[in-house]
Amino acid sequence: MEPQPDRRPVNFNEAGTLAAVDAWWRWLNENPRERALLRRCHDLQDVAFTRGYARLRVDLLQIGTVSPEALALVAGVLAHVRENTGHEIRSPAPVAVQMAHAKPGSESPVVSDLRFRRLIATKSRADLYPAMIRAVRLLGQSAHLPSLAKGLYWWNDLTRQTWTFAYDETLLRKKTAAKKE
């Protein structure tokens, strides 16, 4: 199914798009072979040649047009997420808040400040792909799927700014709370 030229792009702020991504991710959990194929991909082109990517693309094309490269990034990284968490986090970027949370038994964040700054400085999706896989692994393969999918799909200056504010605010709140104790 090819997109119609007059259709609008998918919107990751809409419930229908997020529901389609969530349904795809659940399908991926039920199909370990497809998940494994996606997890073994070395780059976004490899991702685009998988059946798992094709399924997500077809599902989203029913809603609107998609960016193939952006969608490959979403599919490739979400294949590494084992648990959809962080629903209790009230933030424009729950996944960035998760990155700033402390490691168990430590005061340092799960994703170090240096690693986070490098991640945020990444401009190209091709370079972001391996960096985000490492970040998901550091998060224990659990992440807030809607926030992660939206951020990856619309990776731009606004996304990087939103994630930076959420990460920094979380770290500053922890430091302020520690000083009060």
Side-chain angles (χ1 to χ4, degrees), residues 3-12 14 17 60-66 153-154:
Q4 304 299 321
D6 59 336
R7 294 184 61 199
R8 63 183 182 85
V10 294
N11 182 345
F12 277 80
E14 292 180 355
T17 302
L60 290 179
L61 282 173
Q62 294 175 27
I63 298 169
T65 61
V66 296
Y153 192 85
W154 298 115

Side-chain angles (χ1 to χ4, degrees), residues 42-69:
H42 297 288
D43 57 34
L44 298 178
Q45 187 172 7
D46 288 349
V47 172
F49 292 139
T50 65
R51 187 167 290 123
Y53 166 82
R55 182 182 175 107
L56 179 59
R57 184 172 181 271
V58 167
D59 291 349
L60 290 179
L61 282 173
Q62 294 175 27
I63 298 169
T65 61
V66 296
S67 161
E69 184 184 39

Side-chain angles (χ1 to χ4, degrees), residues 28-101:
L28 203 59
N29 284 335
E30 296 166 3
N31 292 276
R33 181 181 182 278
E34 297 302 328
R35 175 185 287 283
L37 289 171
L38 276 167
R39 288 173 56 97
R40 279 190 224 115
C41 292
H42 297 288
D43 57 34
L44 298 178
Q45 187 172 7
D46 288 349
V47 172
F49 292 139
T50 65
R51 187 167 290 123
Y53 166 82
R55 182 182 175 107
L56 179 59
R57 184 172 181 271
V58 167
D59 291 349
L60 290 179
L61 282 173
Q62 294 175 27
I63 298 169
T65 61
V66 296
S67 161
E69 184 184 39
L71 194 59
L73 178 61
V74 171
V77 173
L78 292 190
H80 291 268
V81 176
R82 293 270 185 201
E83 186 180 3
N84 183 6
T85 59
H87 300 289
E88 73 286 351
I89 299 172
R90 299 290 171 238
S91 167
V95 74
V97 172
Q98 288 176 299
M99 290 179 188
H101 279 203

Side-chain angles (χ1 to χ4, degrees), residues 107-121:
E107 290 186 19
S108 48
V110 174
V111 176
S112 72
D113 190 54
L114 179 60
R115 185 178 297 272
F116 183 78
R117 300 294 164 206
R118 285 183 187 152
L119 181 74
I120 292 301

